[in-house]
Amino acid sequence: MDLRPPGTPRQRSERVRHAQLAVPFALIAAVTVVDILAPPDVHLGPFLVAAPALTASFRGPRITAFVGLLAVIAQVVVSAVRTTLTDLNHTFQTIALIMISVFVTLFAYLREEHEKELMQLRSVAETAQQVVLRPLRDRIGPLRVASVYLAAAAEARIGGDLYAAARTATSTRLIIGDVRGKGLDAVGEAALVLGAFRAAAHQEADLRRLVDYLEGAVAPDLYDSTALDDEDEGAGPRAGEDEGFTTAAVLDIPDDEPVLHLVSCGHPPPLLLLREGRAVPLEVARPSPPLGLAGLVDGPVAAQTFAFEAGDVLLLYTDGVLEARDRAGDFYPLTERVAGWSGLPPQAVLDHLCADLLAHVVGSTLGDDAAMVAIERLDRPRRP
């Protein structure tokens, strides 16, 4: 049985809007009737101001002006019934009501224009992000894959979370990452990283060389040489001066070996959901710096190998999952929660995770976008 409320979300929203609009009309009617029936020394006319002020908070300037006009007409009717239209007290009440109605109508106009700008910005950012972040296929070689992207509900603050997959002749390569920052700049940086990954994932035989290629693609855009002072010319970029970077986990999963190879560039460790009901973080011994900061740290890129048996599920995620807080300010306990979902297929794991994550932040919102990818090896690889 479907327990969801009838109608589409848009229809339900319209019903709510109509119900809200009934409140100021009911307020005008109630104040008018009570004011007419009240004793001579009781004046309820000033309460009519609440009607247009309330309307301005959820409707546009036209409806607000209309409600304000009705409130003024109601005030005039009360004046005519109780005293005369020239009564000084009611005259000042009417003038004040007209002034406030004009003011809140202007407020409603400015709010509506601001909302239109935000909607346009978010629409542009979401469109750009959808073009950049292509959906992953359900089956990639011997892997079953599911992915999801949860956007933080914060105006047009689209983030730079990213993921992608590519096939080679003998393996599947994946990347998940998070660009520092928000908005279209972050989406542009994500497009740069994803473009470099898709271009090189098929060509670079070694995972470490692939990460070096990604670093080379990102690094030239980090610093603006024109911003350097003449006295600092030739000194090179300095850390902490508005550098951009991308945390990332880059993986190579061979078709015929029960393992995966991982390079972590400052990214949260993937979780391996084992069939016996455990969730194991894949912590690398030598993590690399985030993409774009490798030039500030000496040392080669290191890849580490982990077991990845048939039936195991690998969960990749961005820090928006870990940073989700409840009303008490507690972070989401990801490892503890996903351990109970081992044995489920990837899509079911993500369905449970999304529902549980949103339940954790009920009454609040995600502070950052969250991207998640779940991967299951379907068949037992052939051992050499």
Side-chain angles (χ1 to χ4, degrees):
M1 182 174 61
D2 190 354
L3 299 179
R4 293 174 298 179
T8 65
R10 184 172 182 177
Q11 291 172 337
R12 293 195 294 271
S13 177
E14 285 297 322
R15 287 197 293 268
V16 171
R17 285 166 59 86
H18 291 318
Q20 289 176 329
L21 190 57
V23 174
F25 288 122
L27 179 63
I28 292 174
V31 171
T32 302
V33 172
V34 174
D35 200 14
I36 291 175
L37 300 178
D41 56 340
V42 176
H43 299 279
L44 300 180
F47 287 101
L48 289 172
V49 172
L54 180 64
T55 307
S57 66
F58 61 86
R59 296 302 287 262
R62 293 184 180 180
I63 298 298
T64 301
F66 178 70
V67 172
L69 177 61
L70 287 182
V72 172
I73 293 175
Q75 180 64 59
V76 171
V77 170
V78 170
S79 302
V81 173
R82 296 195 59 172
T83 55
T84 64
L85 294 177
T86 58
D87 178 74
L88 186 61
N89 181 39
H90 287 105
T91 298
F92 278 107
Q93 289 184 28
T94 303
I95 294 174
L97 182 56
I98 293 173
M99 294 176 60
I100 294 176
S101 296
V102 171
F103 175 77
V104 297
T105 299
L106 177 61
F107 168 79
Y109 170 78
L110 295 176
R111 178 186 56 79
E112 188 176 70
E113 291 298 310
H114 180 61
E115 289 179 351
K116 288 179 180 179
E117 291 179 0
L118 290 178
M119 289 179 63
Q120 290 175 350
L121 287 173
R122 189 170 184 89
S123 177
V124 170
E126 287 178 344
T127 301
Q129 192 171 56
Q130 290 170 5
V131 172
V132 170
L133 202 61
R134 304 172 191 169
L136 301 181
R137 300 197 306 269
D138 296 336
R139 286 289 301 271
I140 306 176
L143 306 177
R144 179 186 294 165
V145 181
S147 60
V148 67
Y149 192 105
L150 295 179
E155 298 180 344
R157 306 292 286 172
I158 297 295
D161 292 23
L162 59 96
Y163 53 76
R167 282 289 293 167
T168 70
T170 59
S171 67
T172 301
R173 288 180 167 175
L174 299 107
I175 184 173
I176 187 165
D178 187 2
V179 177
R180 178 196 184 194
K182 299 286 185 182
L184 289 177
D185 289 341
V187 175
E189 290 294 327
L192 184 64
V193 174
L194 289 174
F197 174 81
R198 289 165 181 150
H202 311 279
Q203 303 174 8
E204 297 294 347
D206 186 80
L207 191 61
R208 292 171 297 179
R209 292 187 60 185
L210 172 59
V211 175
D212 286 338
Y213 181 89
L214 298 178
E215 169 64 28
V218 175
D221 289 345
L222 291 178
Y223 305 100
D224 183 1
S225 60
T226 61
L228 296 175
D229 295 332
D230 292 339
E231 61 184 10
D232 293 333
E233 185 175 356
R238 291 171 294 179
E241 294 188 354
D242 295 327
E243 66 267 16
F245 59 85
T246 301
T247 66
V250 186
L251 301 93
D252 185 87
I253 305 177
D255 293 345
D256 56 358
E257 294 182 74
V259 298
L260 64 85
H261 309 293
L262 169 65
V263 174
S264 177
C265 301
H267 199 73
L271 291 177
L272 187 62
L273 281 63
L274 302 176
R275 288 162 292 177
E276 57 267 27
R278 292 189 299 124
V280 180
L282 302 186
E283 298 273 5
V284 298
R286 292 179 54 194
S288 300
L291 299 175
L293 298 182
L296 304 177
V297 180
D298 295 331
V301 173
Q304 189 164 336
T305 301
F306 297 90
F308 186 37
E309 299 280 354
D312 294 342
V313 174
L314 183 68
L315 177 65
L316 312 177
Y317 56 93
T318 57
D319 57 8
V321 178
L322 298 177
E323 294 174 356
R325 296 173 181 259
D326 60 12
R327 290 181 176 178
D330 296 328
F331 291 108
Y332 181 70
L334 176 63
T335 304
E336 298 174 12
R337 300 293 177 86
V338 299
W341 304 324
S342 59
L344 297 177
Q347 188 59 58
V349 171
L350 293 189
D351 290 343
H352 281 77
L353 178 54
C354 290
D356 195 53
L357 183 64
L358 294 177
H360 180 78
V361 298
V362 64
S364 181
T365 58
L366 291 175
D368 194 5
D369 289 9
M372 293 158 273
V373 179
I375 308 142
E376 179 188 13
R377 189 189 290 277
L378 293 177
D379 59 337
R380 186 171 296 278
R382 298 185 302 273
R383 298 180 183 274

